[in-house]
Structure formats: structure tokens, C-alpha cells
Amino acid sequence: MGAEGELGRREAELRAARRASLEALRSRGADPFAATRYAVTAHASELIARYAGLTPESPAGAESVAVAGRVMSVRTMGKGAAFADLWDRSGRVQLYVRKDALGEGGFALFELLDLGDVIGAAGTMFRSKTGELTLRVASFEALSKSLAPLPDKWHGLVDVEKRYRQRYVDLMMNEHVRKIFLTRSKIVAEMRRFCDARGFIECETPAMLNVAGGAAARPFRTHHNALDLDLDLRIATELNLKRLVVGGLERVYEIGRIFRNEGIDTTHNPEFTMLELYAAYWSVHEMMEFNEELFAQLVDAVAGSTEIAYGDRRISFARPFKRVAYFDAIERHGGFDRTTLLEPGGAQRALASLELPPSPTHGQALDKIFERVVEPHLSDPTFVYDYPVVISPLAKRKPDDPQIVDRYELFGANFELSNAFTELNDPDDQRARFEAQIAERRAGNEELPPPDWDFVHALEYGMPPTAGIDIGVDRLVMLLTNQQSIREVILFPLQRPT
């Protein structure tokens, strides 16, 4: 029998043993699938804080507490006692189980438990001789049975593809993974509090659109059966949020899923989460201050300081962040000046000198040059501002320089974290740029969406001066949890079926 066959045989034996223990529990009137609720009074982290002053010499707590979670280890101490580790959503609490406390029948039921079973346990807290905060169990109840055996406790679940495919086991076995997603939830909640406190209204915009605009990306297509209509999944929430500004809501934001039919790498996933926000009567300069303050607050909330560790680096989010103009950065690190890059064919010649393949459009060529020569130098948080209009179809031109727009991108750890600009609100200029995009699509830029002419119509009613920003939540979580792959911070990253 080969190694795979032996593993299969062993797993079948373990599953059979667990089903036997299930039947044994049922035969004793303790069906673990019968319970409908359990009155939990505390979680592990709360008990750690509440009983921080308890010592091995202290009398046991008089208060009865009830916890519930998954049994992840059991250590027998002779025939009449055992220690167990119970994990709940907040962490671990040690259980101490004695036959003289549970009675002969109760202790026999405890011995039928398997690793991974979900139980509720009630008792009083004490600190063991080794200093471990422990619940002395007076009663327990089996609440769910783990019929599938857990991965080996010494090696855990380490296969990356299996971890993503079976995230439920990954979360169960790997404490650091649970912490990543608890931190992610904290980051998103803090973002909401920050926006709400500054008068922004959270809105929900459609995920299915006749025209998916607001970014340069190929959309996913779907079909609406009732309307017999082909639709795009949104590639941004921008155009609908700006429609709301036109309607008078003034300060709006959405934290939502975005879908872009693009490649997968360490910083890109086709389905991702983005915060997009718009403020009437702001320019990109007020948005830059907002962005800087938000990120500094998020770093403090997660790390308790202005610095985070990312890989082998320390990255400081102390304000003010660095600032550099787009073309100044390219000239400093690549030696290409603005005049050369903006003249016909100049960007394509620069690509050739970098031994990069030609790009179908001028804008894509500039993007590739910036990515190659500048991004490797953007480790600390850095605002790159004054972008060319050719790659910013929705941003307002600078009054004194029509080739440049009021736009910045914030980079950190060598990838983009946010993108912001003073919004274009001139409907005639917007119409002309959409027409230019039509020509670019014909030239081969498939990532440019068809024009959303209704958005031009909305602008004709008058949109006040407005600044907007989008922030990639997944990349931000990557940075703040020290993860090198975006798939580590998405609960269910897309995978091919097995």
C-alpha cells in the first residue's frame, strides 16, 4: 500500500472511531447534536483580563462562569483527572476536569470526547501550580461532534492550497490565521468609525451594472434571466457614488466588494474589498490630510505605535508622510524627463530602453515605466502626486498645467495603498475624455470600459468641487498584519475546483 493509501486507511479508521464515540455519547443520553443553545457568560480573553491578579496561592474565584468552544488538546492526569485546552473566538482557556466533581458518569462522558469536539463548560476559575489560569469544571455539555479527524497536532495544516480550500480547518488549527482575520475586522470597523465621525454617510451601490466604469479593468460578465440582460459586475463604485454627490449627499462612502477580471499575484485578487469615499467641497489636498490621518490612526489601533514590521523591514507611519511628484520620481530613479515621456513615442522608447515590451497605449506605457523604476523605492508611506492626464480620465486638470491632474497615489511597502484626486466635474471635458477612451479601446487597450454616458448627463446637472479616494482594504490588511500575499488576508480566495 502506498503512502496515500495508508493515509486514507488511517483516516477511515479515525472517522470510524469518532462515529463510535458519537454513538456511545448518544447511548448515554448526551447526543452532541441535540443542543440548541448554551448560555455562555464569558470568553477566554475576558477571563484572562478579569482574573489577571489571581495567583496559585489565591483562593479560587467564587463566581461561576460558563465558556464554550472547541477542545483542542487533552492531557490525562491519572485515572480521575484531566486538563484540556478549549479554544473560543477570543483565545484559549485551560479546563481542569475531575471525576469527583463530575461524577463517574460525567467523567466517562468527558473521556468519550475527541479533539475538535465543541463543548460548553461551567465552573470556577483558579490558577494552577504552573501559573496557568484554569477553569475548574463543575459541569459540561457536548454541543457538537467533530466527525472528521483534525490534522496532526505537531505539523498542523501547512499546505497552502489546502489551507485556502479548507479555511474552516485553517482557522481551527492556526492561531495566527485567526488573529489576521480578527485584525481585519478591527481595521474595517475602525475605518467606518473614522468616516462616520467626519460626517460621511455609508451607502450601497449596485454590484451589477449595464456599464462597469470608474476604473481601467476588464469586468466579469453575468446574465440577468428575468430581464434577459447581460450585465457587468462592478469594477469600482466611483460613478454611482459621485451621482449621489450630484444628488446632494455631499459626503458618501462605501466599503464593498469589487470584481476585476485580471490576473492573480501576491497583491492582486480578482475579487477584493475597497473603501471608496467622496467629499464635496474638498480638493485632493484635504483628501491627502484625511488619508494620512486615517492611516496613522489605523496603525496605532493595530500596532499601538507609529511603526509596523513588514517582512524584514520597519515601516514608519509617523506624520507627515513623504511626498514626491510623479515625473520627478521617474526622472530621479529612471533618468527619463517629463518632456521626453509626454512627447509622441517617448514613453515607448523609454520602455524599449528598459528592455520592456511595448504597450498598446501611451498611458499603459507610463504605468509600466513607473512600476519598474519608481515603485521599488517606495517602501515608506509616500504620496506620489501630479499624475499625467493621459492615465487619469476622471481627475480634474491643474489650472496652470493642463497635462497634469490633481491626483495622488499613496504607496507603502512598494505597492499602491490608495488613489485619490480632485474629481472632474466639467461634463464637456468628461465627454471628451470618454471619447478619447473609445479611441484607446480601438487601439487595443481592453481594460478601458465603454463610456457611461449617463454619468456625463449627471454632471450636466452640476457636481460641486469634490475629492475622492479609493483604498484597497486587502492590501492595507496585508501591510498591517505583516502578510506577503493578498490571499492570506482574504477568507475564501478563489481557487480552481479539485
PDB file of all heavy atoms in Angstrom, residues 324-332 336 338 341-342 362-363 365-371 374 383-388 390-391 404 407 409 411:
ATOM      1  N   VAL A 324       6.326  63.120  -3.218  1.00  0.00           N
ATOM      2  CA  VAL A 324       7.164  63.299  -4.396  1.00  0.00           C
ATOM      3  C   VAL A 324       6.261  63.410  -5.620  1.00  0.00           C
ATOM      4  O   VAL A 324       5.239  62.715  -5.722  1.00  0.00           O
ATOM      5  CB  VAL A 324       8.177  62.136  -4.557  1.00  0.00           C
ATOM      6  CG1 VAL A 324       7.472  60.794  -4.758  1.00  0.00           C
ATOM      7  CG2 VAL A 324       9.152  62.403  -5.694  1.00  0.00           C
ATOM      8  N   ALA A 325       6.601  64.288  -6.574  1.00  0.00           N
ATOM      9  CA  ALA A 325       5.835  64.436  -7.805  1.00  0.00           C
ATOM     10  C   ALA A 325       6.121  63.265  -8.744  1.00  0.00           C
ATOM     11  O   ALA A 325       7.232  62.722  -8.780  1.00  0.00           O
ATOM     12  CB  ALA A 325       6.179  65.750  -8.490  1.00  0.00           C
ATOM     13  N   TYR A 326       5.126  62.873  -9.515  1.00  0.00           N
ATOM     14  CA  TYR A 326       5.180  61.708 -10.388  1.00  0.00           C
ATOM     15  C   TYR A 326       6.382  61.754 -11.331  1.00  0.00           C
ATOM     16  O   TYR A 326       7.222  60.827 -11.350  1.00  0.00           O
ATOM     17  CB  TYR A 326       3.867  61.626 -11.167  1.00  0.00           C
ATOM     18  CG  TYR A 326       3.739  60.484 -12.137  1.00  0.00           C
ATOM     19  CD1 TYR A 326       3.225  59.252 -11.740  1.00  0.00           C
ATOM     20  CD2 TYR A 326       4.089  60.636 -13.485  1.00  0.00           C
ATOM     21  CE1 TYR A 326       3.073  58.213 -12.641  1.00  0.00           C
ATOM     22  CE2 TYR A 326       3.944  59.602 -14.394  1.00  0.00           C
ATOM     23  CZ  TYR A 326       3.436  58.391 -13.961  1.00  0.00           C
ATOM     24  OH  TYR A 326       3.297  57.359 -14.862  1.00  0.00           O
ATOM     25  N   PHE A 327       6.495  62.805 -12.098  1.00  0.00           N
ATOM     26  CA  PHE A 327       7.587  62.859 -13.075  1.00  0.00           C
ATOM     27  C   PHE A 327       8.935  63.092 -12.410  1.00  0.00           C
ATOM     28  O   PHE A 327       9.970  62.624 -12.913  1.00  0.00           O
ATOM     29  CB  PHE A 327       7.303  63.925 -14.134  1.00  0.00           C
ATOM     30  CG  PHE A 327       6.282  63.494 -15.156  1.00  0.00           C
ATOM     31  CD1 PHE A 327       5.036  64.099 -15.203  1.00  0.00           C
ATOM     32  CD2 PHE A 327       6.563  62.480 -16.058  1.00  0.00           C
ATOM     33  CE1 PHE A 327       4.100  63.713 -16.144  1.00  0.00           C
ATOM     34  CE2 PHE A 327       5.629  62.082 -17.003  1.00  0.00           C
ATOM     35  CZ  PHE A 327       4.387  62.688 -17.042  1.00  0.00           C
ATOM     36  N   ASP A 328       8.953  63.787 -11.271  1.00  0.00           N
ATOM     37  CA  ASP A 328      10.216  63.937 -10.529  1.00  0.00           C
ATOM     38  C   ASP A 328      10.726  62.574 -10.074  1.00  0.00           C
ATOM     39  O   ASP A 328      11.937  62.298 -10.129  1.00  0.00           O
ATOM     40  CB  ASP A 328      10.011  64.837  -9.311  1.00  0.00           C
ATOM     41  CG  ASP A 328       9.823  66.296  -9.680  1.00  0.00           C
ATOM     42  OD1 ASP A 328      10.057  66.643 -10.857  1.00  0.00           O
ATOM     43  OD2 ASP A 328       9.438  67.085  -8.789  1.00  0.00           O
ATOM     44  N   ALA A 329       9.803  61.703  -9.626  1.00  0.00           N
ATOM     45  CA  ALA A 329      10.208  60.374  -9.160  1.00  0.00           C
ATOM     46  C   ALA A 329      10.763  59.538 -10.307  1.00  0.00           C
ATOM     47  O   ALA A 329      11.784  58.843 -10.160  1.00  0.00           O
ATOM     48  CB  ALA A 329       9.016  59.668  -8.521  1.00  0.00           C
ATOM     49  N   ILE A 330      10.113  59.617 -11.478  1.00  0.00           N
ATOM     50  CA  ILE A 330      10.599  58.848 -12.626  1.00  0.00           C
ATOM     51  C   ILE A 330      11.973  59.355 -13.067  1.00  0.00           C
ATOM     52  O   ILE A 330      12.883  58.557 -13.378  1.00  0.00           O
ATOM     53  CB  ILE A 330       9.597  58.919 -13.795  1.00  0.00           C
ATOM     54  CG1 ILE A 330       8.321  58.149 -13.448  1.00  0.00           C
ATOM     55  CG2 ILE A 330      10.216  58.367 -15.077  1.00  0.00           C
ATOM     56  CD1 ILE A 330       7.250  58.189 -14.525  1.00  0.00           C
ATOM     57  N   GLU A 331      12.162  60.683 -13.090  1.00  0.00           N
ATOM     58  CA  GLU A 331      13.464  61.217 -13.502  1.00  0.00           C
ATOM     59  C   GLU A 331      14.545  60.872 -12.486  1.00  0.00           C
ATOM     60  O   GLU A 331      15.680  60.519 -12.851  1.00  0.00           O
ATOM     61  CB  GLU A 331      13.361  62.734 -13.681  1.00  0.00           C
ATOM     62  CG  GLU A 331      14.653  63.344 -14.233  1.00  0.00           C
ATOM     63  CD  GLU A 331      14.466  64.752 -14.743  1.00  0.00           C
ATOM     64  OE1 GLU A 331      13.380  65.337 -14.495  1.00  0.00           O
ATOM     65  OE2 GLU A 331      15.392  65.280 -15.386  1.00  0.00           O
ATOM     66  N   ARG A 332      14.200  60.932 -11.197  1.00  0.00           N
ATOM     67  CA  ARG A 332      15.183  60.636 -10.143  1.00  0.00           C
ATOM     68  C   ARG A 332      15.654  59.189 -10.212  1.00  0.00           C
ATOM     69  O   ARG A 332      16.847  58.901 -10.080  1.00  0.00           O
ATOM     70  CB  ARG A 332      14.561  60.910  -8.774  1.00  0.00           C
ATOM     71  CG  ARG A 332      15.501  60.640  -7.603  1.00  0.00           C
ATOM     72  CD  ARG A 332      14.779  60.794  -6.267  1.00  0.00           C
ATOM     73  NE  ARG A 332      14.128  62.094  -6.160  1.00  0.00           N
ATOM     74  CZ  ARG A 332      13.265  62.422  -5.194  1.00  0.00           C
ATOM     75  NH1 ARG A 332      12.940  61.515  -4.263  1.00  0.00           N
ATOM     76  NH2 ARG A 332      12.733  63.626  -5.157  1.00  0.00           N
ATOM     77  N   PHE A 336      14.397  59.476 -16.923  1.00  0.00           N
ATOM     78  CA  PHE A 336      13.543  59.916 -18.030  1.00  0.00           C
ATOM     79  C   PHE A 336      12.826  61.199 -17.625  1.00  0.00           C
ATOM     80  O   PHE A 336      12.130  61.225 -16.608  1.00  0.00           O
ATOM     81  CB  PHE A 336      12.506  58.843 -18.382  1.00  0.00           C
ATOM     82  CG  PHE A 336      13.099  57.490 -18.659  1.00  0.00           C
ATOM     83  CD1 PHE A 336      12.919  56.449 -17.773  1.00  0.00           C
ATOM     84  CD2 PHE A 336      13.854  57.276 -19.804  1.00  0.00           C
ATOM     85  CE1 PHE A 336      13.472  55.198 -18.022  1.00  0.00           C
ATOM     86  CE2 PHE A 336      14.415  56.035 -20.062  1.00  0.00           C
ATOM     87  CZ  PHE A 336      14.229  54.985 -19.166  1.00  0.00           C
ATOM     88  N   ARG A 338      10.150  64.513 -18.046  1.00  0.00           N
ATOM     89  CA  ARG A 338       8.732  64.656 -18.395  1.00  0.00           C
ATOM     90  C   ARG A 338       8.531  64.955 -19.873  1.00  0.00           C
ATOM     91  O   ARG A 338       7.664  64.345 -20.523  1.00  0.00           O
ATOM     92  CB  ARG A 338       8.109  65.758 -17.531  1.00  0.00           C
ATOM     93  CG  ARG A 338       6.724  66.178 -17.983  1.00  0.00           C
ATOM     94  CD  ARG A 338       6.154  67.288 -17.130  1.00  0.00           C
ATOM     95  NE  ARG A 338       5.036  67.946 -17.806  1.00  0.00           N
ATOM     96  CZ  ARG A 338       4.232  68.829 -17.236  1.00  0.00           C
ATOM     97  NH1 ARG A 338       4.422  69.177 -15.980  1.00  0.00           N
ATOM     98  NH2 ARG A 338       3.251  69.385 -17.941  1.00  0.00           N
ATOM     99  N   LEU A 341       8.886  61.864 -21.988  1.00  0.00           N
ATOM    100  CA  LEU A 341       7.842  60.862 -21.761  1.00  0.00           C
ATOM    101  C   LEU A 341       6.491  61.279 -22.338  1.00  0.00           C
ATOM    102  O   LEU A 341       5.683  60.415 -22.691  1.00  0.00           O
ATOM    103  CB  LEU A 341       7.700  60.574 -20.271  1.00  0.00           C
ATOM    104  CG  LEU A 341       8.884  59.855 -19.621  1.00  0.00           C
ATOM    105  CD1 LEU A 341       8.674  59.738 -18.120  1.00  0.00           C
ATOM    106  CD2 LEU A 341       9.075  58.465 -20.229  1.00  0.00           C
ATOM    107  N   LEU A 342       6.232  62.579 -22.428  1.00  0.00           N
ATOM    108  CA  LEU A 342       4.931  63.031 -22.905  1.00  0.00           C
ATOM    109  C   LEU A 342       4.904  63.284 -24.404  1.00  0.00           C
ATOM    110  O   LEU A 342       3.829  63.421 -24.993  1.00  0.00           O
ATOM    111  CB  LEU A 342       4.494  64.294 -22.154  1.00  0.00           C
ATOM    112  CG  LEU A 342       4.088  64.090 -20.682  1.00  0.00           C
ATOM    113  CD1 LEU A 342       3.646  65.398 -20.062  1.00  0.00           C
ATOM    114  CD2 LEU A 342       2.984  63.036 -20.557  1.00  0.00           C
ATOM    115  N   HIS A 362      -0.269  54.931 -24.753  1.00  0.00           N
ATOM    116  CA  HIS A 362       0.650  55.828 -24.056  1.00  0.00           C
ATOM    117  C   HIS A 362       0.509  55.681 -22.535  1.00  0.00           C
ATOM    118  O   HIS A 362       1.500  55.583 -21.803  1.00  0.00           O
ATOM    119  CB  HIS A 362       0.346  57.263 -24.496  1.00  0.00           C
ATOM    120  CG  HIS A 362       1.348  58.268 -24.010  1.00  0.00           C
ATOM    121  ND1 HIS A 362       1.182  59.619 -24.192  1.00  0.00           N
ATOM    122  CD2 HIS A 362       2.523  58.127 -23.331  1.00  0.00           C
ATOM    123  CE1 HIS A 362       2.217  60.257 -23.662  1.00  0.00           C
ATOM    124  NE2 HIS A 362       3.035  59.384 -23.136  1.00  0.00           N
ATOM    125  N   GLY A 363      -0.746  55.652 -22.062  1.00  0.00           N
ATOM    126  CA  GLY A 363      -0.978  55.558 -20.625  1.00  0.00           C
ATOM    127  C   GLY A 363      -0.426  54.280 -20.027  1.00  0.00           C
ATOM    128  O   GLY A 363       0.201  54.287 -18.957  1.00  0.00           O
ATOM    129  N   ALA A 365       2.019  52.525 -21.177  1.00  0.00           N
ATOM    130  CA  ALA A 365       3.478  52.607 -21.210  1.00  0.00           C
ATOM    131  C   ALA A 365       4.002  53.365 -19.990  1.00  0.00           C
ATOM    132  O   ALA A 365       4.968  52.944 -19.339  1.00  0.00           O
ATOM    133  CB  ALA A 365       3.929  53.285 -22.501  1.00  0.00           C
ATOM    134  N   LEU A 366       3.356  54.495 -19.667  1.00  0.00           N
ATOM    135  CA  LEU A 366       3.775  55.261 -18.484  1.00  0.00           C
ATOM    136  C   LEU A 366       3.626  54.434 -17.217  1.00  0.00           C
ATOM    137  O   LEU A 366       4.486  54.461 -16.321  1.00  0.00           O
ATOM    138  CB  LEU A 366       2.959  56.548 -18.385  1.00  0.00           C
ATOM    139  CG  LEU A 366       3.255  57.634 -19.418  1.00  0.00           C
ATOM    140  CD1 LEU A 366       2.266  58.779 -19.290  1.00  0.00           C
ATOM    141  CD2 LEU A 366       4.682  58.154 -19.263  1.00  0.00           C
ATOM    142  N   ASP A 367       2.518  53.687 -17.110  1.00  0.00           N
ATOM    143  CA  ASP A 367       2.303  52.830 -15.937  1.00  0.00           C
ATOM    144  C   ASP A 367       3.441  51.825 -15.779  1.00  0.00           C
ATOM    145  O   ASP A 367       3.945  51.600 -14.674  1.00  0.00           O
ATOM    146  CB  ASP A 367       0.971  52.083 -16.061  1.00  0.00           C
ATOM    147  CG  ASP A 367      -0.197  52.879 -15.507  1.00  0.00           C
ATOM    148  OD1 ASP A 367       0.029  53.819 -14.727  1.00  0.00           O
ATOM    149  OD2 ASP A 367      -1.348  52.558 -15.868  1.00  0.00           O
ATOM    150  N   LYS A 368       3.837  51.198 -16.867  1.00  0.00           N
ATOM    151  CA  LYS A 368       4.895  50.177 -16.810  1.00  0.00           C
ATOM    152  C   LYS A 368       6.227  50.798 -16.411  1.00  0.00           C
ATOM    153  O   LYS A 368       7.009  50.188 -15.666  1.00  0.00           O
ATOM    154  CB  LYS A 368       5.017  49.475 -18.160  1.00  0.00           C
ATOM    155  CG  LYS A 368       3.807  48.634 -18.532  1.00  0.00           C
ATOM    156  CD  LYS A 368       3.591  47.493 -17.556  1.00  0.00           C
ATOM    157  CE  LYS A 368       2.404  46.626 -17.958  1.00  0.00           C
ATOM    158  NZ  LYS A 368       2.117  45.575 -16.939  1.00  0.00           N
ATOM    159  N   ILE A 369       6.504  51.989 -16.919  1.00  0.00           N
ATOM    160  CA  ILE A 369       7.762  52.668 -16.561  1.00  0.00           C
ATOM    161  C   ILE A 369       7.776  52.988 -15.075  1.00  0.00           C
ATOM    162  O   ILE A 369       8.765  52.722 -14.372  1.00  0.00           O
ATOM    163  CB  ILE A 369       7.933  53.950 -17.399  1.00  0.00           C
ATOM    164  CG1 ILE A 369       8.108  53.597 -18.881  1.00  0.00           C
ATOM    165  CG2 ILE A 369       9.116  54.773 -16.896  1.00  0.00           C
ATOM    166  CD1 ILE A 369       7.932  54.777 -19.806  1.00  0.00           C
ATOM    167  N   PHE A 370       6.684  53.557 -14.571  1.00  0.00           N
ATOM    168  CA  PHE A 370       6.614  53.905 -13.147  1.00  0.00           C
ATOM    169  C   PHE A 370       6.768  52.654 -12.278  1.00  0.00           C
ATOM    170  O   PHE A 370       7.507  52.661 -11.288  1.00  0.00           O
ATOM    171  CB  PHE A 370       5.277  54.598 -12.857  1.00  0.00           C
ATOM    172  CG  PHE A 370       5.138  55.083 -11.439  1.00  0.00           C
ATOM    173  CD1 PHE A 370       5.566  56.346 -11.080  1.00  0.00           C
ATOM    174  CD2 PHE A 370       4.595  54.266 -10.455  1.00  0.00           C
ATOM    175  CE1 PHE A 370       5.460  56.797  -9.771  1.00  0.00           C
ATOM    176  CE2 PHE A 370       4.477  54.695  -9.150  1.00  0.00           C
ATOM    177  CZ  PHE A 370       4.908  55.969  -8.803  1.00  0.00           C
ATOM    178  N   GLU A 371       6.077  51.597 -12.670  1.00  0.00           N
ATOM    179  CA  GLU A 371       6.139  50.356 -11.904  1.00  0.00           C
ATOM    180  C   GLU A 371       7.564  49.821 -11.838  1.00  0.00           C
ATOM    181  O   GLU A 371       8.006  49.338 -10.790  1.00  0.00           O
ATOM    182  CB  GLU A 371       5.209  49.336 -12.561  1.00  0.00           C
ATOM    183  CG  GLU A 371       5.080  48.010 -11.837  1.00  0.00           C
ATOM    184  CD  GLU A 371       4.130  47.080 -12.571  1.00  0.00           C
ATOM    185  OE1 GLU A 371       2.987  47.487 -12.841  1.00  0.00           O
ATOM    186  OE2 GLU A 371       4.545  45.946 -12.881  1.00  0.00           O
ATOM    187  N   VAL A 374      10.161  53.270 -10.266  1.00  0.00           N
ATOM    188  CA  VAL A 374       9.855  54.038  -9.052  1.00  0.00           C
ATOM    189  C   VAL A 374       9.374  53.160  -7.904  1.00  0.00           C
ATOM    190  O   VAL A 374       9.846  53.292  -6.767  1.00  0.00           O
ATOM    191  CB  VAL A 374       8.804  55.136  -9.342  1.00  0.00           C
ATOM    192  CG1 VAL A 374       8.489  55.906  -8.055  1.00  0.00           C
ATOM    193  CG2 VAL A 374       9.315  56.094 -10.409  1.00  0.00           C
ATOM    194  N   PHE A 383       3.357  59.756  -0.670  1.00  0.00           N
ATOM    195  CA  PHE A 383       2.357  60.291  -1.592  1.00  0.00           C
ATOM    196  C   PHE A 383       3.060  60.666  -2.900  1.00  0.00           C
ATOM    197  O   PHE A 383       3.965  61.507  -2.903  1.00  0.00           O
ATOM    198  CB  PHE A 383       1.692  61.537  -1.016  1.00  0.00           C
ATOM    199  CG  PHE A 383       0.764  61.271   0.138  1.00  0.00           C
ATOM    200  CD1 PHE A 383       1.054  61.751   1.402  1.00  0.00           C
ATOM    201  CD2 PHE A 383      -0.411  60.557  -0.054  1.00  0.00           C
ATOM    202  CE1 PHE A 383       0.188  61.520   2.465  1.00  0.00           C
ATOM    203  CE2 PHE A 383      -1.285  60.325   1.002  1.00  0.00           C
ATOM    204  CZ  PHE A 383      -0.982  60.803   2.269  1.00  0.00           C
ATOM    205  N   VAL A 384       2.654  60.038  -3.997  1.00  0.00           N
ATOM    206  CA  VAL A 384       3.119  60.413  -5.329  1.00  0.00           C
ATOM    207  C   VAL A 384       2.000  61.236  -5.958  1.00  0.00           C
ATOM    208  O   VAL A 384       0.864  60.759  -6.076  1.00  0.00           O
ATOM    209  CB  VAL A 384       3.437  59.186  -6.190  1.00  0.00           C
ATOM    210  CG1 VAL A 384       3.910  59.612  -7.580  1.00  0.00           C
ATOM    211  CG2 VAL A 384       4.491  58.307  -5.506  1.00  0.00           C
ATOM    212  N   TYR A 385       2.293  62.475  -6.341  1.00  0.00           N
ATOM    213  CA  TYR A 385       1.241  63.383  -6.787  1.00  0.00           C
ATOM    214  C   TYR A 385       1.549  63.945  -8.173  1.00  0.00           C
ATOM    215  O   TYR A 385       2.611  63.695  -8.746  1.00  0.00           O
ATOM    216  CB  TYR A 385       1.042  64.524  -5.775  1.00  0.00           C
ATOM    217  CG  TYR A 385       2.258  65.396  -5.565  1.00  0.00           C
ATOM    218  CD1 TYR A 385       2.469  66.538  -6.332  1.00  0.00           C
ATOM    219  CD2 TYR A 385       3.213  65.079  -4.593  1.00  0.00           C
ATOM    220  CE1 TYR A 385       3.587  67.341  -6.146  1.00  0.00           C
ATOM    221  CE2 TYR A 385       4.336  65.864  -4.395  1.00  0.00           C
ATOM    222  CZ  TYR A 385       4.516  66.996  -5.170  1.00  0.00           C
ATOM    223  OH  TYR A 385       5.631  67.782  -4.982  1.00  0.00           O
ATOM    224  N   ASP A 386       0.603  64.718  -8.713  1.00  0.00           N
ATOM    225  CA  ASP A 386       0.717  65.352 -10.031  1.00  0.00           C
ATOM    226  C   ASP A 386       0.889  64.326 -11.146  1.00  0.00           C
ATOM    227  O   ASP A 386       1.904  64.264 -11.844  1.00  0.00           O
ATOM    228  CB  ASP A 386       1.884  66.366 -10.057  1.00  0.00           C
ATOM    229  CG  ASP A 386       1.520  67.676  -9.387  1.00  0.00           C
ATOM    230  OD1 ASP A 386       0.370  67.798  -8.918  1.00  0.00           O
ATOM    231  OD2 ASP A 386       2.383  68.568  -9.323  1.00  0.00           O
ATOM    232  N   TYR A 387      -0.145  63.522 -11.327  1.00  0.00           N
ATOM    233  CA  TYR A 387      -0.144  62.487 -12.360  1.00  0.00           C
ATOM    234  C   TYR A 387      -0.494  63.085 -13.715  1.00  0.00           C
ATOM    235  O   TYR A 387      -1.215  64.088 -13.805  1.00  0.00           O
ATOM    236  CB  TYR A 387      -1.156  61.394 -12.015  1.00  0.00           C
ATOM    237  CG  TYR A 387      -0.601  60.324 -11.101  1.00  0.00           C
ATOM    238  CD1 TYR A 387      -0.267  60.616  -9.777  1.00  0.00           C
ATOM    239  CD2 TYR A 387      -0.401  59.027 -11.560  1.00  0.00           C
ATOM    240  CE1 TYR A 387       0.234  59.637  -8.940  1.00  0.00           C
ATOM    241  CE2 TYR A 387       0.105  58.035 -10.728  1.00  0.00           C
ATOM    242  CZ  TYR A 387       0.422  58.350  -9.422  1.00  0.00           C
ATOM    243  OH  TYR A 387       0.930  57.385  -8.600  1.00  0.00           O
ATOM    244  N   PRO A 388      -0.066  62.446 -14.806  1.00  0.00           N
ATOM    245  CA  PRO A 388      -0.435  62.939 -16.145  1.00  0.00           C
ATOM    246  C   PRO A 388      -1.903  62.654 -16.440  1.00  0.00           C
ATOM    247  O   PRO A 388      -2.457  61.628 -16.032  1.00  0.00           O
ATOM    248  CB  PRO A 388       0.485  62.142 -17.076  1.00  0.00           C
ATOM    249  CG  PRO A 388       0.846  60.913 -16.312  1.00  0.00           C
ATOM    250  CD  PRO A 388       0.886  61.314 -14.865  1.00  0.00           C
ATOM    251  N   VAL A 390      -3.209  61.696 -19.114  1.00  0.00           N
ATOM    252  CA  VAL A 390      -3.386  60.568 -20.017  1.00  0.00           C
ATOM    253  C   VAL A 390      -3.707  59.274 -19.264  1.00  0.00           C
ATOM    254  O   VAL A 390      -4.296  58.346 -19.830  1.00  0.00           O
ATOM    255  CB  VAL A 390      -2.133  60.389 -20.907  1.00  0.00           C
ATOM    256  CG1 VAL A 390      -0.937  59.915 -20.103  1.00  0.00           C
ATOM    257  CG2 VAL A 390      -2.427  59.438 -22.056  1.00  0.00           C
ATOM    258  N   ILE A 391      -3.361  59.184 -17.968  1.00  0.00           N
ATOM    259  CA  ILE A 391      -3.710  57.986 -17.189  1.00  0.00           C
ATOM    260  C   ILE A 391      -4.707  58.308 -16.083  1.00  0.00           C
ATOM    261  O   ILE A 391      -4.893  57.505 -15.164  1.00  0.00           O
ATOM    262  CB  ILE A 391      -2.456  57.305 -16.588  1.00  0.00           C
ATOM    263  CG1 ILE A 391      -1.666  58.264 -15.692  1.00  0.00           C
ATOM    264  CG2 ILE A 391      -1.565  56.741 -17.669  1.00  0.00           C
ATOM    265  CD1 ILE A 391      -0.514  57.589 -14.956  1.00  0.00           C
ATOM    266  N   ILE A 404      -1.385  67.824 -16.535  1.00  0.00           N
ATOM    267  CA  ILE A 404      -1.288  67.207 -15.206  1.00  0.00           C
ATOM    268  C   ILE A 404      -2.631  67.353 -14.500  1.00  0.00           C
ATOM    269  O   ILE A 404      -3.346  68.345 -14.673  1.00  0.00           O
ATOM    270  CB  ILE A 404      -0.174  67.885 -14.369  1.00  0.00           C
ATOM    271  CG1 ILE A 404       1.161  67.788 -15.105  1.00  0.00           C
ATOM    272  CG2 ILE A 404      -0.066  67.260 -12.988  1.00  0.00           C
ATOM    273  CD1 ILE A 404       1.655  66.363 -15.349  1.00  0.00           C
ATOM    274  N   ARG A 407      -4.069  64.723  -8.618  1.00  0.00           N
ATOM    275  CA  ARG A 407      -4.205  63.321  -8.211  1.00  0.00           C
ATOM    276  C   ARG A 407      -2.968  62.889  -7.440  1.00  0.00           C
ATOM    277  O   ARG A 407      -1.863  63.382  -7.689  1.00  0.00           O
ATOM    278  CB  ARG A 407      -4.362  62.437  -9.449  1.00  0.00           C
ATOM    279  CG  ARG A 407      -4.394  60.939  -9.156  1.00  0.00           C
ATOM    280  CD  ARG A 407      -4.369  60.118 -10.444  1.00  0.00           C
ATOM    281  NE  ARG A 407      -4.280  58.696 -10.157  1.00  0.00           N
ATOM    282  CZ  ARG A 407      -4.031  57.749 -11.064  1.00  0.00           C
ATOM    283  NH1 ARG A 407      -3.855  58.099 -12.331  1.00  0.00           N
ATOM    284  NH2 ARG A 407      -3.968  56.482 -10.726  1.00  0.00           N
ATOM    285  N   GLU A 409      -1.317  59.064  -5.485  1.00  0.00           N
ATOM    286  CA  GLU A 409      -1.429  57.680  -5.007  1.00  0.00           C
ATOM    287  C   GLU A 409      -0.522  57.553  -3.798  1.00  0.00           C
ATOM    288  O   GLU A 409       0.592  58.095  -3.783  1.00  0.00           O
ATOM    289  CB  GLU A 409      -1.031  56.676  -6.085  1.00  0.00           C
ATOM    290  CG  GLU A 409      -2.046  56.565  -7.212  1.00  0.00           C
ATOM    291  CD  GLU A 409      -1.693  55.468  -8.204  1.00  0.00           C
ATOM    292  OE1 GLU A 409      -0.538  55.426  -8.667  1.00  0.00           O
ATOM    293  OE2 GLU A 409      -2.581  54.658  -8.517  1.00  0.00           O
ATOM    294  N   PHE A 411       1.727  55.076  -1.644  1.00  0.00           N
ATOM    295  CA  PHE A 411       2.424  53.796  -1.707  1.00  0.00           C
ATOM    296  C   PHE A 411       3.041  53.481  -0.345  1.00  0.00           C
ATOM    297  O   PHE A 411       3.412  54.384   0.415  1.00  0.00           O
ATOM    298  CB  PHE A 411       3.531  53.824  -2.765  1.00  0.00           C
ATOM    299  CG  PHE A 411       3.025  53.838  -4.180  1.00  0.00           C
ATOM    300  CD1 PHE A 411       2.626  55.024  -4.776  1.00  0.00           C
ATOM    301  CD2 PHE A 411       2.927  52.659  -4.909  1.00  0.00           C
ATOM    302  CE1 PHE A 411       2.153  55.051  -6.080  1.00  0.00           C
ATOM    303  CE2 PHE A 411       2.454  52.679  -6.216  1.00  0.00           C
ATOM    304  CZ  PHE A 411       2.070  53.874  -6.794  1.00  0.00           C
TER     305      PHE A 411
END
